[in-house]
Amino acid sequence: MAERTIVVTGVGLVSPLGLTCEDTWNGLLAGSSGVGAITLFDASAFATRIAGEVKGFDAAATLGPQRAKKLDRFSQLGLFAGLQAWKDSGLDVNTLDASRVGVIAGSGIGGLGTMEEQKEVLMSRGPSRMSPFFIPKLMMNALSGEISIELGLKGPNWVTASACASASHGLGTALRTLRSGEADIILSGGSEATVVPLGIGGFCALRAMSTRNDDPQRASRPFDKDRDGFVMGEGAGFLVLETLEHARARGAKIYCEFAGFGATADAHHITAPAENAEGAQRSMRLALADAKLNTSDVDYINAHGTSTPINDPNESAAVRAVFGEEAPRLWVNSTKSMLGHLLGASGAVEAVVTALSLHHGVVHRTLNHEVPGEGCTLDYVPEGTREKRLRGALSNSLGFGGHNCTLAFRSL
């Protein structure tokens, strides 16, 4: 049986640059930063006091007060982005076989805010005062479960967890599930909401985040000589994936083909990447082979691009190793330069951005990239938005634990 072609027919975003996909996309093209001082809690005692927060999100008004009360912020944001993507696709579950429509999502940490909140209740007021919603709110699979309940989708449903590669693993397994014939449509993405004291405090203890507190909009500076760590972000991204046959039969708008997936493990260190970026190299090669793309077919890479001293030259070395003499002509950017690092949701958000870049023929800049850091010798699109017809693109996600994921996309 011929392999099924899978396409993107709907996208949804909620991010530090806006509550809709359109707002986020326009902010990225304008070179705007969503990073600022933390307002979700008093961060005055923390070494890092900045983050990319989702601003103006009223869960009670958006989802209803009773529904919002039962969801952690990561599920609230994910449900909101998932519903956007579903609406954008033009699908109506009442016209579909719901058992053939699934939800596969990713989150690196899940309901961290709920966990922190309820631990305080336990310690100060005792176990009898803990919320009955505690466990359902904190569990990662609440994300896919709540979306399926809201939309009535009864097909494959689960959540992947692999730190910063979580949503990309979810998208990759969604691709394979669709190709296998187990489903016709899958709503796939990721969500994260870790701008809470435990989240910020934990990464401060790792000394992984920028401390450029007096200049937050210039703190996330991937591949730049003066980068000093990543900036935490929060938000969610979702894509509607379906077979090309199904999409064409209903006259759907098609953004691009989701063509390939590669995933590897470094087997090296829980937080540091392998030497010579060996795992990331294999991930990209596997995605290219799965997509049946040559290196000459790829014009653009949405990099993991965290703005950390270790990641940026490591990922750059991987790109050079895989693409060889093709590497200098590639456009390589980092969406994290404007949104911050959305941890487990980052792969989904960046997949949406990659799909939009292919669809519109536009690549956003890497904000704050002024002087290339050592080992950072690619074209990181520092000066502003660029336009041309893009044929193929990759999106990298490289997570703690040694997890490497690459998603491959192709214009149709």
Side-chain angles (χ1 to χ4, degrees):
M1 185 174 66
E3 185 174 273
R4 291 170 142 204
T5 298
I6 309 305
V7 294
V8 178
T9 58
V11 290
L13 286 176
V14 55
S15 82
L17 282 178
L19 300 181
T20 67
C21 195
E22 182 180 13
D23 288 343
T24 299
W25 178 242
N26 288 338
L28 290 170
L29 296 185
S32 303
S33 173
V35 177
I38 291 172
T39 63
L40 292 170
F41 66 94
D42 180 4
S44 58
F46 292 75
T48 293
R49 301 184 291 280
I50 57 175
E53 297 179 338
V54 173
K55 306 165 190 73
F57 179 69
D58 186 336
T62 302
L63 306 174
Q66 292 303 313
R67 190 71 185 280
K69 181 181 179 181
K70 298 177 182 179
L71 303 179
D72 183 87
R73 185 172 172 89
F74 95 102
S75 289
Q76 294 171 352
L77 297 173
L79 177 57
F80 186 51
L83 294 178
Q84 283 184 44
W86 186 258
K87 181 179 180 181
D88 183 49
S89 73
L91 288 163
D92 179 355
V93 72
N94 296 313
T95 66
L96 304 169
D97 177 355
S99 68
R100 303 279 302 168
V101 187
V103 184
I104 299 177
S107 183
I109 299 178
L112 187 62
T114 292
M115 189 179 298
E116 183 169 38
E117 172 192 86
Q118 290 302 304
K119 175 63 183 299
E120 291 179 1
V121 171
L122 172 65
M123 299 306 294
S124 64
R125 301 168 65 189
S128 65
R129 302 307 299 271
M130 292 179 68
S131 169
F133 305 125
F134 173 45
I135 297 300
K137 285 176 70 172
L138 74 85
M139 62 190 194
M140 290 185 189
N141 58 298
L143 177 58
S144 61
E146 292 289 351
I147 293 173
S148 71
I149 291 167
E150 181 71 21
L151 292 172
L153 310 181
K154 299 179 179 181
N157 189 292
W158 60 81
V159 165
T160 55
S162 52
C164 306
S166 298
S168 291
H169 269 123
L171 284 158
T173 54
L175 175 65
R176 290 176 176 174
T177 301
L178 287 166
R179 283 177 174 172
S180 74
E182 296 175 57
D184 297 318
I185 303 165
I186 293 182
L187 181 55
S188 186
S191 184
E192 204 82 271
T194 53
V195 184
V196 299
L198 269 178
I200 297 296
F203 280 104
C204 282
L206 273 176
R207 298 182 180 179
M209 294 194 298
S210 172
T211 55
R212 197 185 289 255
N213 298 305
D214 58 345
D215 196 6
Q217 295 196 346
R218 299 182 71 244
S220 183
R221 38 197 322 111
F223 308 106
D224 188 76
K225 178 177 69 70
D226 293 330
R227 68 194 186 282
D228 69 328
F230 80 89
V231 175
M232 183 82 79
E234 62 170 0
F238 272 83
L239 304 89
V240 173
L241 309 173
E242 62 183 295
T243 64
L244 179 61
E245 180 182 20
H246 191 279
R248 284 180 171 166
R250 68 182 185 88
K253 171 181 58 182
I254 297 173
Y255 286 95
C256 63
E257 178 187 352
F258 182 12
F261 170 56
T264 67
D266 287 343
H268 171 69
H269 190 277
I270 200 67
T271 58
E275 293 183 15
N276 302 316
E278 184 270 339
Q281 289 184 44
R282 285 190 294 116
S283 177
M284 284 187 276
R285 289 192 173 105
L286 287 170
L288 288 168
D290 189 41
K292 299 179 176 60
L293 286 170
N294 297 315
T295 55
S296 59
D297 298 322
V298 175
D299 297 312
Y300 164 51
I301 297 177
N302 189 297
H304 189 54
T306 57
S307 184
T308 56
I310 294 177
N311 173 85
D312 294 2
N314 184 76
E315 186 177 9
S316 298
V319 171
R320 290 195 300 272
V322 171
F323 284 86
E325 63 183 18
E326 300 277 354
R329 68 166 183 78
L330 294 170
W331 292 355
V332 181
N333 68 358
S334 172
T335 301
K336 294 180 181 71
S337 67
M338 288 178 261
L339 302 184
H341 191 347
L342 277 62
L343 304 185
S346 61
V349 171
E350 290 156 17
V352 171
V353 172
T354 304
L356 289 173
S357 295
L358 285 171
H359 183 64
H360 295 293
V362 179
V363 170
H364 70 71
R365 67 182 296 187
T366 297
L367 190 64
N368 301 320
H369 181 71
E370 297 168 352
V371 179
E374 184 177 354
C376 301
T377 58
L378 301 171
D379 181 352
Y380 304 108
V381 196
E383 76 290 344
T385 298
R386 295 183 189 170
E387 299 183 22
K388 75 172 180 181
R389 185 185 182 279
L390 302 166
R391 298 164 299 160
L394 302 182
S395 180
N396 286 330
S397 296
L398 316 175
F400 279 4
H403 306 294
N404 308 293
C405 277
T406 301
L407 309 177
F409 299 87
R410 178 191 286 113
S411 291
L412 287 176

